[in-house]
Amino acid sequence: RDLPLAVFQYALEGHPTLTEYWNIVALKSREEAVIFELAGNANTYTYITKESTNFNRIPSLRGGARVGSIREDRIPWMAETLKQVEVIRHELHRFDCQVWVTNALRLLRDLDETIVMKGMTSESAIREELRQEMERWEVADETLEEREYPE
């Protein structure tokens, strides 16, 4: 089956340059997700993939922007492929999780344009979608995981 692929945002406090943390998520349900992200800080960034069984209950979650879809059986390929995305450490003002996400989406689209929708490799397009999503979250409207998997 095809899973929604999205960039999700999380509230971030105390960071010198960012107010939201971004990652890429393949949503299996409201609760179940495969997360592709940078872990650590500017000095220790590492790409990781992890499974979540309580995704919609992450306290800092602020919704997401759908950027495409991926067949569930291609998740291992995607996890391996994203290891190719350059990770730059010690360059706080040049590289962060948002840059990594954008570069990861570009790589996926370059390799298979059926995965990432046209236009959704642009940081400004993603930022605008996430801004609208934040507004929905602030008024307790449905966020992406709720719209994709209604109860």
Side-chain angles (χ1 to χ4, degrees), residues 27-41:
L27 274 178
K28 295 181 176 184
S29 70
R30 284 185 180 202
E31 299 83 22
E32 289 183 73
V34 181
I35 300 170
F36 309 87
E37 66 184 351
L38 275 188
N41 61 43

Side-chain angles (χ1 to χ4, degrees), residues 133-145:
E133 185 77 344
M134 184 71 83
E135 287 178 3
R136 286 189 281 271
W137 179 85
E138 287 170 351
V139 296
D141 200 352
E142 289 185 330
T143 51
L144 182 68
E145 71 283 1

Side-chain angles (χ1 to χ4, degrees), residues 18-147:
L18 300 177
T19 55
E20 289 90 30
Y21 173 82
W22 293 4
N23 61 16
I24 301 172
V25 176
L27 274 178
K28 295 181 176 184
S29 70
R30 284 185 180 202
E31 299 83 22
E32 289 183 73
V34 181
I35 300 170
F36 309 87
E37 66 184 351
L38 275 188
N41 61 43
N43 299 322
T44 63
Y45 283 142
T46 306
Y47 161 67
I48 64 166
T49 303
K50 63 185 181 186
E51 302 256 348
S52 176
T53 55
N54 63 344
F55 181 73
N56 62 332
R57 292 190 293 279
I58 297 171
S60 60
L61 185 64
R62 298 294 182 266
R66 183 158 181 174
V67 295
S69 62
I70 188 156
R71 280 196 340 260
E72 193 166 7
D73 65 353
R74 293 198 71 199
I75 295 288
W77 170 85
M78 183 172 156
E80 191 62 29
T81 297
L82 292 183
K83 290 179 181 176
Q84 298 172 36
V85 179
E86 185 179 20
V87 174
I88 300 170
R89 295 184 185 97
H90 315 290
E91 294 279 345
L92 185 63
H93 296 285
R94 203 176 72 120
F95 185 83
D96 55 40
C97 60
Q98 296 179 4
V99 173
W100 182 86
V101 162
T102 308
N103 291 343
L105 294 174
R106 286 188 186 121
L107 174 65
L108 291 172
R109 183 151 174 84
D110 286 348
L111 295 175
D112 182 347
E113 62 185 31
T114 66
I115 296 174
V116 178
M117 295 182 291
K118 189 173 182 177
M120 292 312 290
T121 57
S122 154
E123 185 177 340
S124 61
I126 295 166
R127 196 170 296 288
E128 176 57 23
E129 291 286 327
L130 291 175
R131 185 193 61 74
Q132 293 175 26
E133 185 77 344
M134 184 71 83
E135 287 178 3
R136 286 189 281 271
W137 179 85
E138 287 170 351
V139 296
D141 200 352
E142 289 185 330
T143 51
L144 182 68
E145 71 283 1
E146 296 163 326
R147 293 191 306 276

